[in-house]
């Protein structure tokens, strides 16, 4: 079964997505997500100009060999662009193999280890009332675990607060544009770590008081603290029993987390911007984290992330795969098949896509009573409507960034 075509499809129904579609000489097609938020076209070129021509004629069943060929023959290893491109090829080939087998992909990964995947959603509010409303809204949608992000007094706009959430009147769904701000330049936000560190524990105290001790609560620090500030934060949130605290320091310095571990038992999650097992070498071996945040889309696909998660499993570290709206339904489905199959699944992030995105990508995965399931269609269970995709050309979009009061550019 030879590959006869590898097409890169860019579409922007509610936000930009890059999808690789591989076709075999038997007419079987497979999809892979290659969306790299804010740098989408770099991956398009990598795939279209350098990878697609190499795929023609390859045996589509040789997934591991194709992965190793793309990783090693390039000479230039790792990095988000390379690893997103390899991921798309890998996932598309798994999709094809599972379709040919006539099975949902999770069956080829070892079969289901559970009946469904616990998902968490994003609640946020500038004020306490808005935050409480947002938590209740998520509970009404079925979410059984909730990420809490809050405004900070004195700061005008903060990443992850849904001032830019859009309510879709036709579907009744509130979806969050958070990572996708269309425009020629990134939006500028402001930041003050000391105000944030003072304010956040008061918010978690109020949330626990209102919603009780059972509800799993998560929080994302978005890489903004120094090691000692991160340790202080983890320690100050200990009484509120978080499910996890995410990205408390910039990710490059793995050793930073040693200091945090010395001071707190708050569980830690990291890795949404990591792209190979090497980024985890110290923090897995030294047991400095509790959850691996990598997405299939950004970590070399199912083949590589499965290896990372198996390594993590030896240290009782679980998965907590990244699942914002900038992962396409194809990438989300891949995460769900992998999450259903592995033993050390922890939780899956799930923000809902907009209705136009759901028309472009027809999906068989389900979200019921707070639990995700990839569905039982052969393959990934996601198909791309190419005509529908063609209605929405690429639009320039950037993640926001932030500056301190004196104008200094701050960590992400
Ligand atoms: O900032 O997806 O945990 N989720 C996040 C996301 C990321 C964006 C980056 O593209 O931190 O909102
Ligand atoms: Co995050």
């Amino acid at each position: 079964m030879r590959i006869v075509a590898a097409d890169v499809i860019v579409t922007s129904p509610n936000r930009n997505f890059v999808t690789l579609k591989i076709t075999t000489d038997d007419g079987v097609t497979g999809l892979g997500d290659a969306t790299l938020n804010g740098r989408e076209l770099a991956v398009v070129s990598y795939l279209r100009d350098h990878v697609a021509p190499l795929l023609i004629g390859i045996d589509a069943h040789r997934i591991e060999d194709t992965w190793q060929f793309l990783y090693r023959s390039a000479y230039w290893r790792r990095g988000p662009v390379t690893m997103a491109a390899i991921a798309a090829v890998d996932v598309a080939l798994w999709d094809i193999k599972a379709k040919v087998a006539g099975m949902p992909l999770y069956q080829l990964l070892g079969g289901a280890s559970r009946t469904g995947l616990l998902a968490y959603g994003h609640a946020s509010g500038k004020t306490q009332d808005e935050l409480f409303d947002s938590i209740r809204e998520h509970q009404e949608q079925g979410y059984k675990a909730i990420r809490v992000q809050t405004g900070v007094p004195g700061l005008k706009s903060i990443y992850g607060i849904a001032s830019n959430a859009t309510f879709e009147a036709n579907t009744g769904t509130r979806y969050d544009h958070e990572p996708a701000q269309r425009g020629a330049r990134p939006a500028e936000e402001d930041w003050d770590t000391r105000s944030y560190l003072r304010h956040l524990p008061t918010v978690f105290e109020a949330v626990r008081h209102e919603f009780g001790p059972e509800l799993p609560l998560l929080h994302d620090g978005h890489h903004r603290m120094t090691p000692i500030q991160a340790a202080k934060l983890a320690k100050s949130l200990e009484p509120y029993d978080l499910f996890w605290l995410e990205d408390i320091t910039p990710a490059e310095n793995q050793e930073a987390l040693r200091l945090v571990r010395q001071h707190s038992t708050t569980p830690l999650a990291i890795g949404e911007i990591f792209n190979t097992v090497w980024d985890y070498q110290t923090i897995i071996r030294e047991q400095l984290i509790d959850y691996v945040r990598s997405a299939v889309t950004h970590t070399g696909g199912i083949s590589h992330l499965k290896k990372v998660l198996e390594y993590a499993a030896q240290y009782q570290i679980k998965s907590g795969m990244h699942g914002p709206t900038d992962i396409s339904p194809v990438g989300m489905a891949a995460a769900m098949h992998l999450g259903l199959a592995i033993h050390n699944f922890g939780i899956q992030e799930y923000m809902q896509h907009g209705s136009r995105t759901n028309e472009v990508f027809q999906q068989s995965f389900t979200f019921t009573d707070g639990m995700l399931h990839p569905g039982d269609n052969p393959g990934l269970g996601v198909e791309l409507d190419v005509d529908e995709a063609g209605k929405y050309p690429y639009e320039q979009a950037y993640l926001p960034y932030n500056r301190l009061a004196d104008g200094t550019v701050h960590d992400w």
Side-chain angles (χ1 to χ4, degrees):
M1 193 176 58
R2 301 277 157 190
I3 295 173
V4 294
D7 301 306
V8 184
I9 297 139
V10 182
T11 182
S12 195
N14 296 98
R15 49 165 312 114
N16 294 314
F17 295 112
V18 177
T19 310
L20 178 69
K21 181 179 178 181
I22 293 181
T23 308
T24 70
D25 51 7
D26 301 359
V28 183
T29 60
L31 299 177
D33 178 25
T35 308
L36 188 62
N37 198 12
R39 296 293 185 272
E40 296 89 352
L41 300 184
V43 191
V44 171
S45 168
Y46 193 109
L47 280 169
R48 196 175 270 163
D49 300 331
H50 301 292
V51 171
L54 301 177
L55 295 177
I56 306 304
I58 278 183
D59 178 355
H61 276 307
R62 298 184 66 185
I63 301 176
E64 181 67 19
D65 182 72
T66 303
W67 196 100
Q68 299 297 342
F69 165 63
L70 292 175
Y71 184 76
R72 292 170 200 282
S73 70
Y75 186 69
W76 309 104
R77 296 182 182 191
R78 307 165 63 184
V81 175
T82 296
M83 298 308 285
I86 295 177
V89 175
D90 182 79
V91 171
L93 294 181
W94 276 111
D95 189 16
I96 287 170
K97 192 184 281 293
K99 281 182 180 172
V100 171
M103 289 180 185
L105 176 51
Y106 70 82
Q107 294 290 11
L108 272 57
L109 301 174
S113 289
R114 54 195 54 78
T115 54
L117 306 171
L118 176 66
Y120 76 89
H122 289 197
S124 66
K126 272 195 161 165
T127 63
Q128 186 172 300
D129 285 349
E130 282 175 24
L131 174 62
F132 284 10
D133 285 350
S134 175
I135 294 174
R136 283 191 198 98
E137 219 172 88
H138 280 80
Q139 289 184 308
E140 281 157 22
Q141 287 179 24
Y143 282 105
K144 290 188 166 36
I146 293 178
R147 189 184 91 161
V148 169
Q149 304 295 124
T150 168
V152 174
L155 297 183
K156 289 189 293 295
S157 69
I158 296 182
Y159 184 70
I161 312 304
S163 56
N164 49 4
T166 306
F167 187 74
E168 282 201 345
N170 54 337
T171 59
T173 314
R174 187 186 294 273
Y175 70 92
D176 202 336
H177 279 304
E178 174 201 343
Q181 295 185 3
R182 287 172 167 166
R185 293 188 59 81
E188 187 178 305
E189 302 182 335
D190 50 1
W191 186 248
D192 182 323
T193 306
R194 291 188 68 231
S195 306
Y196 164 77
L197 291 178
R198 270 198 313 274
H199 185 63
L200 196 63
T202 69
V203 172
F204 272 93
E205 183 167 24
V207 170
R208 274 286 174 234
H209 190 254
E210 179 74 13
F211 294 92
E214 284 294 331
L215 181 65
L217 298 174
L218 302 83
H219 180 74
D220 194 341
H222 288 126
H223 327 261
R224 293 183 185 196
M225 269 65 72
T226 64
I228 199 69
Q229 289 169 336
K232 184 185 169 101
L233 177 65
K235 193 173 170 180
S236 68
L237 293 178
E238 234 170 52
Y240 313 113
D241 190 27
L242 267 60
F243 185 96
W244 81 35
L245 185 57
E246 170 186 350
D247 283 343
I248 42 179
T249 56
E252 298 94 322
N253 179 11
Q254 297 185 38
E255 282 85 4
L257 297 181
R258 285 185 195 138
L259 189 72
V260 183
R261 284 300 215 203
Q262 285 161 13
H263 291 279
S264 169
T265 57
T266 295
L268 303 179
I270 209 160
E272 68 183 49
I273 68 166
F274 291 1
N275 43 71
T276 70
V277 70
W278 302 103
D279 299 323
Y280 285 101
Q281 199 175 17
T282 301
I283 54 181
I284 289 180
R285 194 184 58 233
E286 295 189 19
Q287 304 174 66
L288 301 181
I289 58 168
D290 302 280
Y291 296 92
V292 164
R293 285 287 286 145
S294 282
V296 169
T297 303
H298 301 133
T299 319
I302 287 170
S303 298
H304 191 69
L305 185 53
K306 190 166 190 289
K307 290 170 186 167
V308 176
L309 292 172
E310 281 164 359
Y311 175 37
Q314 313 314 314
Y315 300 92
Q316 294 173 284
I317 297 168
K318 294 183 193 300
S319 73
M321 288 178 239
H322 196 205
T325 52
D326 48 284
I327 307 266
S328 85
V330 174
M332 290 303 300
M336 289 178 215
H337 285 281
L338 182 57
L340 201 69
I342 58 173
H343 177 248
N344 57 329
F345 171 81
I347 199 167
Q348 174 64 55
E349 185 179 26
Y350 180 54
M351 293 168 77
Q352 305 189 28
H353 286 113
S355 57
R356 285 198 298 275
T357 299
N358 294 334
E359 282 158 21
V360 170
F361 295 93
Q362 284 126 30
Q363 306 150 29
S364 66
F365 63 77
T366 53
F367 177 59
T368 314
D369 294 331
M371 306 294 279
L372 290 160
H373 192 284
D376 283 306
N377 286 2
L380 281 172
V382 180
E383 292 301 329
L384 176 72
D385 184 332
V386 176
D387 294 335
E388 198 63 24
K391 291 182 188 167
Y392 307 108
Y394 172 80
E395 289 187 39
Q396 193 81 55
Y398 287 106
L399 283 156
Y401 78 112
N402 65 94
R403 289 181 186 271
L404 306 179
D406 69 358
T408 307
V409 175
H410 189 58
D411 282 316
W412 196 75

